[in-house]
Amino acid sequence: MTITNNTQLPSLTQLPSTFLVELNNFGAISLSGEEQSKYLQGQVTCDVNNSTEKNLLVGAHCDAKGKVFSVFRLINRSAALLLLQPKASIDSSLNALKKFAVFAKVTIEEVQNLSFIALVGEQASALLQREFAQVPDTLNPVVQINSTSLVYLSGEQPRYIIMDEPAAMASLIKSFALPMFSQGVWDLLEITQGFPILPASASGHYVPQMLNLQAINGISFTKGCYLGQETVARMQYLGKNKRALFSLHTQVEHDLQEDDVIQKQLGENWRKAGDILAYYQADDGNCYLQAILTNDTDQPTMRIAAQVASVVTKQALPYTLDTSK
């Protein structure tokens, strides 16, 4: 029987070797129809023409000024293209996609009646092999078996996103018999892996390079025109972007608030350092943050403004921001 630990918020080092995560705040936009690929190709940063039933693409959906509505993982499922993403970014992206699709042979809608969970850890692959005839991997990150979609995410530890109809998902969860954590733990893993979590309040605020999309293969610079492409190209080739996404850590005594601000020390004064996109606060006071900061070589002293004793430090990302490499 599955043990649900919804009230537990472990720090990164306290997580068990293998576990499940509820993805209740996860969803997808579906594009289906004769012109689904052609239409989406002109709307997003990744090269949709490279999408197959077995691969996984990362991309962003931007407005005409190159500001990001949503960051997604793109897969094929049941002859449709699915843009997997947090529910917080779906409305703005869905509305914009529909707006320009009036004359295209494509149906665009939010996916309904699908449940999402994540399977994480060293025994994850073995558990999937027990349940399924095929398991996704680096070469084939997406596998579809009957009603189940399995998506492999590479990183410091194996992660799999599993999608299925609610009844089938309930049976699978019971079979795994693993600890189940809340959506916050997924945010923790995304933060440490440097994958952008875009809240609704940040929709339309940042160009893709400020979210490190170029560093995680989320932008094609050879695919041709798409909405916002001029801004994205200018940022890349003229070096105009001065901000980037960072993974941060601090120890706090009190709960963080939605309006908390990171400050940096400038001489004897403190100034705002950047914008917090997401955070995860463990029960033991460890706090992991994802923020947009100035992308320079300086390492200023930083803190949470409302908790003056806190010390915020940058954490290593699993990729480089150096475009010369």
Side-chain angles (χ1 to χ4, degrees), residues 25-26 59-63 66-73 84-93 183 186-187 190-191 194-208 210-213 245 275-279 290-292:
N25 295 327
F26 215 68
H61 175 212
C62 304
D63 64 16
K67 299 297 181 66
V68 177
F69 287 123
S70 67
V71 178
F72 57 80
R73 294 178 171 100
L84 310 180
Q85 59 195 280
K87 289 182 179 179
S89 62
I90 285 180
D91 281 349
S92 59
S93 184
Q183 173 91 29
W186 177 259
D187 292 345
E190 295 280 71
I191 288 168
F195 193 92
I197 304 170
L198 204 64
S201 60
S203 177
H205 282 60
Y206 306 105
V207 298
M210 294 178 186
L211 301 171
N212 300 359
L213 266 294
L245 180 146
D275 300 320
I276 299 174
L277 291 186
Y279 67 87
Q290 184 176 91
I292 307 295

Side-chain angles (χ1 to χ4, degrees), residues 54-213:
K54 294 183 178 181
N55 72 359
L56 173 70
L57 299 181
V58 172
H61 175 212
C62 304
D63 64 16
K65 296 181 179 179
K67 299 297 181 66
V68 177
F69 287 123
S70 67
V71 178
F72 57 80
R73 294 178 171 100
L74 171 63
I75 70 165
N76 285 251
R77 176 184 163 93
S78 302
L81 299 174
L82 297 192
L83 309 182
L84 310 180
Q85 59 195 280
K87 289 182 179 179
S89 62
I90 285 180
D91 281 349
S92 59
S93 184
L94 184 62
N95 291 336
L97 286 170
K98 285 184 174 182
K99 177 182 177 181
F100 292 101
V102 178
F103 301 107
K105 297 177 181 178
V106 60
T107 300
I108 305 172
E109 56 192 0
E110 183 176 355
V111 171
Q112 306 292 336
N113 301 319
L114 269 186
S115 294
F116 298 80
I117 65 167
L119 174 60
V120 184
E122 59 187 41
Q123 295 300 316
S125 178
L127 287 170
L128 288 175
Q129 289 174 21
R130 191 182 69 190
E131 301 291 335
F132 301 100
Q134 186 180 0
V135 175
D137 53 26
T138 303
L139 295 178
N140 297 299
V142 180
V143 169
Q144 180 74 30
I145 301 176
N146 298 321
S147 65
T148 310
S149 294
L150 305 173
V151 181
Y152 170 75
L153 306 181
S154 60
E156 294 179 0
Q157 56 183 334
R159 286 193 291 165
Y160 299 87
I161 297 174
I162 305 174
M163 289 162 278
D164 211 331
E165 297 164 358
M169 186 68 83
S171 176
L172 187 61
I173 290 172
K174 184 176 181 181
S175 178
F176 284 144
L178 288 171
M180 175 83 83
F181 294 95
S182 67
Q183 173 91 29
V185 171
W186 177 259
D187 292 345
L188 167 63
L189 300 176
E190 295 280 71
I191 288 168
T192 57
Q193 290 301 298
F195 193 92
I197 304 170
L198 204 64
S201 60
S203 177
H205 282 60
Y206 306 105
V207 298
Q209 287 95 331
M210 294 178 186
L211 301 171
N212 300 359
L213 266 294

